[in-house]
Amino acid sequence: MSQSSLNRRLIQIFGILLGISVAVWVLRGFGILTFIPGGIIWLLLLGAIVIAIISYAQRRWWRI
């Protein structure tokens, strides 16, 4: 897997995680998904942040 395709895949995963976490947060705020604990939303957001940091590091510093 080349650097550009790996970085593209990481950015896609970041977008998916961020989109899911925002959607769950909004639906939970409307009272539709009240059974989902807040910790799950935080894990999704932290996962998106970690993927973004890995993508940035892979693009800037890692020369595989």
Side-chain angles (χ1 to χ4, degrees), residues 4-24:
S4 62
S5 65
L6 176 62
N7 198 29
R8 189 176 328 118
R9 177 69 61 176
L10 288 172
I11 291 173
Q12 287 174 349
I13 293 170
F14 166 73
I16 290 169
L17 278 177
L18 190 62
I20 289 172
S21 61
V22 167
V24 167

Side-chain angles (χ1 to χ4, degrees), residues 6-57:
L6 176 62
N7 198 29
R8 189 176 328 118
R9 177 69 61 176
L10 288 172
I11 291 173
Q12 287 174 349
I13 293 170
F14 166 73
I16 290 169
L17 278 177
L18 190 62
I20 289 172
S21 61
V22 167
V24 167
W25 185 36
V26 168
L27 290 174
R28 189 170 183 252
F30 284 138
I32 297 172
L33 295 177
T34 56
F35 59 90
I36 295 179
I40 300 296
I41 298 170
W42 281 111
L43 286 176
L44 286 169
L45 284 172
L46 289 175
I49 291 170
V50 167
I51 293 294
I53 290 171
I54 291 172
S55 173
Y56 177 78

